[in-house]
Amino acid sequence: MEMMKVSLDCVHEVFEEQAARTPDATAVVFEGRGTPYGELNARANRLARHLTALGVRRGDTVGVLLERDTELVVAVLAVLKAGAGYTLLDPALPAARVREIASLAGAAHAVTTARLAGRWDGTPVLPVPVDAEADAVAARDAGKRCGCSARRCRGTPSRWSCSGRCCTAAPASSSPGRARSRPSSPN
């Protein structure tokens, strides 16, 4: 029996390693269409760069208000690569409840769609409608180099934002508890 290697890396770093090893292997299947690791990783890199250009920083919490599909996986990976934590928001919830959860989580940005972006009207949350901003996201570099001049930069978005410590997801519970992103310890 082969022993499985346990990694203390962040989930998006493990994903990147898998994408580098098997870029053409199917990572996600939705409605009969498979998306390979390489494509999913490139899309997440582009969205991560877009999020950081919009002001998402390490330690922030980003709301993710998307239907369950491949774009949801891209968004979660992108938020993590940008160094932020996330809280998943259910599009089936009433708009007031979605805003309350995002507020409790401290979300300043929300990855969403143009159809759902109106839920953020009158709030300080900046909606990032991935469908409406698809051209801007696609124009971002998906390669391994981030283009920054920081000494700590090691190339990929997660490497220049994560630096070995990751943010955890802020719980999107239905109870009005205190939810927040917090760095996790590698130990």
Side-chain angles (χ1 to χ4, degrees):
M1 180 154 106
E2 188 176 327
M3 296 294 288
M4 183 177 183
K5 178 186 164 200
V6 176
S7 174
L8 297 178
D9 291 336
C10 300
V11 67
H12 53 285
E13 291 175 330
V14 173
F15 181 85
E16 287 174 349
E17 291 168 6
Q18 183 65 33
R21 279 193 305 273
T22 61
D24 297 323
T26 301
V28 174
V29 177
F30 180 73
E31 293 184 346
R33 183 192 181 278
T35 304
Y37 278 97
E39 179 185 333
L40 199 64
N41 193 49
R43 287 171 59 189
N45 284 349
R46 285 186 186 102
L47 183 54
R49 286 184 172 88
H50 188 66
L51 291 171
T52 57
L54 293 174
V56 173
R57 298 290 176 256
R58 181 173 178 221
D60 288 353
T61 299
V62 175
V64 178
L65 178 65
L66 294 169
E67 301 291 339
R68 291 182 186 196
D69 63 10
T70 303
E71 203 59 43
L72 176 66
V73 177
V74 170
V76 168
L77 287 169
V79 168
L80 293 173
K81 286 171 178 264
Y86 62 90
T87 189
L88 294 176
L89 301 164
D90 186 354
L93 289 174
R97 181 66 183 133
V98 169
R99 288 191 298 268
E100 178 186 17
I101 293 169
S103 175
L104 289 170
H109 296 80
V111 179
T112 190
T113 61
R115 180 178 67 80
L116 298 170
R119 292 185 175 210
W120 305 109
D121 290 348
T123 73
V125 175
L126 174 67
V128 183
V130 290
D131 52 349
E133 296 183 19
D135 290 342
V137 173
R140 304 274 180 200
D141 179 24
K144 284 212 157 265
R145 298 304 310 164
C146 74
C148 78
S149 60
R151 287 189 312 176
R152 67 187 175 109
C153 178
R154 293 186 286 174
T156 61
S158 67
R159 296 287 186 203
W160 51 263
S161 63
C162 185
S163 298
R165 291 185 58 189
C166 299
C167 294
T168 59
S173 68
S174 57
S175 63
R178 194 90 175 123
R180 64 183 179 277
S181 173
R182 60 192 176 278
S184 63
S185 171
N187 295 333

